[in-house]
Amino acid sequence: MKVEPECASCLLARAQIQIYQATTNPALRFRCMAEIVKLINRDFRPTTIAADIGTTRDRIIRQLTSNPDPYRQIKKEANTKALKLLPQAKKYVQTGHTQQERFKKACLCAIVGNIMEFDIPGHKFTLRSIPKIIKDAAKDLFIDDIDKAYNITKKLDNVLYLADNAGEIIFDTLLVEQLKNMGLKVTYAVKSGPVINDATLEDVEISNIDKLADEIVTTGTDAVGLLKKQVSPEFLKIYDQADIVFAKGMGYAETITEYNYTKPHLHLLRTKCTPVANYFCAPRDKNIAKLIT
């Protein structure tokens, strides 16, 4: 998925917010922003992937400010608040009368969790609104390949689940639980180091998803999405051996769509920006469950 012109302003806007979270030093803030402007001036081309620039941007900020995780406190708060909402979401899933219905409701909760992302221009949400958003999740489902995904997945053995954000990881537990109830082996992958507000092993411990999934792995990198040249050989082997991939969020959509699909992928996300919405031929702020085989 290539950049659109407005991606430049988004990359800059997120840089400014992240820099201000990372340091209070005015001179250091200026230096960081100047380096990000240089980065975009050098690398922003029609063939660029936004996740690639976003990865480099975050590394520059962390290196120059010596702040290893500017979003750490925000991620912690997102996890805490999501845990409080989990019982309501779990009740919603349990209203499904069949395994297929519960799988669908769990997918919807996982997509709603993808709303929990900060600092995207024009994207606003409140944690108070999430119960209502869950209730209306099916109405906002613009692309619905969930039943197709269920019928394919139930015949397979091995699922690789690619996590996205902190907070969101709490809602992933519902879908991982359903996949386990279907008799599948589930490998759950998080980032090996902080990048934006993506989930890491620290968030796994808070979510208790390690008690549900068969294996917890990291991508071996702090890159946004899946950049094959940057992930570890160990992770790439796991990715290649999976029967199906459940890919959460816009970062994985931006990157995986650049490769040839050799197995089914279920992309679960909220269209939080116009370029991603355009790629899926969907309006902004809609739920997407796109199965690509």
Side-chain angles (χ1 to χ4, degrees):
M1 186 185 304
K2 302 296 192 293
V3 293
E4 292 189 13
E6 70 185 72
C7 294
S9 61
C10 180
L11 288 161
L12 277 171
R14 297 193 83 172
Q16 186 265 320
I17 293 168
Q18 193 168 160
I19 289 165
Y20 275 61
Q21 289 171 175
T23 179
T24 58
N25 185 317
L28 195 50
R29 285 174 171 176
F30 192 93
R31 183 184 172 196
C32 287
M33 203 65 192
E35 289 300 319
I36 303 302
V37 170
K38 285 181 191 176
L39 167 69
I40 293 175
N41 185 56
R42 184 185 70 230
D43 292 351
F44 193 76
R45 301 286 183 271
T47 55
T48 301
I49 305 167
D52 204 347
I53 295 182
T55 296
T56 306
R57 172 201 63 201
D58 281 26
R59 288 173 180 166
I60 289 171
I61 294 169
R62 291 198 302 271
Q63 180 181 3
L64 291 180
T65 64
S66 299
N67 186 328
D69 190 359
Y71 280 91
R72 185 171 187 182
Q73 185 58 35
I74 291 173
K75 291 192 294 183
K76 185 178 178 180
E77 291 171 4
N79 285 328
T80 300
K81 291 176 181 177
L83 280 168
K84 291 179 181 178
L85 294 168
L86 183 61
Q88 292 174 268
K90 195 161 190 172
K91 284 181 183 178
Y92 171 76
V93 173
Q94 290 171 344
T95 60
H97 298 294
T98 65
Q99 186 181 72
Q100 186 168 351
E101 287 179 5
R102 290 188 291 274
F103 174 83
K104 182 159 191 170
K105 288 177 180 290
C107 282
L108 290 171
C109 287
I111 295 171
V112 168
N114 191 236
I115 291 171
M116 300 178 72
E117 187 160 3
F118 306 94
D119 305 334
I120 296 176
H123 172 62
K124 296 179 181 179
F125 77 95
T126 63
L127 289 163
R128 283 185 189 175
S129 66
I130 287 181
K132 183 179 186 305
I133 294 171
I134 290 173
K135 186 178 178 182
D136 295 338
K139 296 177 186 175
D140 285 337
L141 192 58
F142 191 82
I143 297 177
D144 182 5
D145 289 341
I146 296 177
D147 289 335
K148 279 193 231 175
Y150 175 81
N151 290 325
I152 288 175
T153 304
K154 69 179 181 179
K155 299 173 185 175
L156 302 175
D157 299 312
N158 183 10
V159 176
L160 174 60
Y161 195 117
L162 302 177
D164 192 18
N165 302 320
E168 177 179 347
I169 191 174
I170 306 299
F171 294 98
D172 287 344
T173 60
L174 300 170
L175 183 49
V176 171
E177 184 176 30
Q178 292 307 311
L179 290 168
K180 289 302 302 170
N181 290 343
M182 292 162 62
L184 291 134
K185 177 188 175 185
V186 180
T187 301
Y188 193 81
V190 295
K191 301 298 165 54
S192 64
V195 58
I196 329 176
N197 63 320
D198 284 11
T200 63
L201 288 173
E202 186 176 348
D203 304 294
V204 167
E205 293 176 11
I206 294 167
S207 69
N208 291 321
I209 205 161
D210 53 326
K211 294 178 175 61
L212 295 168
D214 295 277
E215 188 176 8
I216 304 294
V217 300
T218 74
T219 58
T221 183
D222 57 0
V224 176
L226 195 160
L227 301 173
K228 287 190 176 182
K229 291 182 179 179
Q230 299 200 31
V231 299
S232 67
E234 295 79 11
F235 173 77
L236 200 54
K237 184 178 180 181
I238 292 168
Y239 177 78
D240 289 339
Q241 291 178 346
D243 296 325
I244 187 170
V245 176
F246 282 48
K248 289 294 300 296
M250 298 199 303
Y252 280 117
E254 290 172 10
T255 50
I256 293 175
T257 51
E258 289 294 302
Y259 305 115
N260 292 324
Y261 286 79
T262 58
K263 69 192 73 186
H265 283 65
L266 179 62
H267 286 284
L268 299 169
L269 65 141
R270 180 84 165 182
T271 54
K272 299 185 289 286
C273 73
T274 302
V276 170
N278 289 344
Y279 182 88
F280 287 100
C281 301
R284 188 168 176 169
D285 297 320
K286 291 296 180 181
N287 296 332
I288 303 293
K290 177 67 175 177
L291 181 68
I292 301 178
T293 57

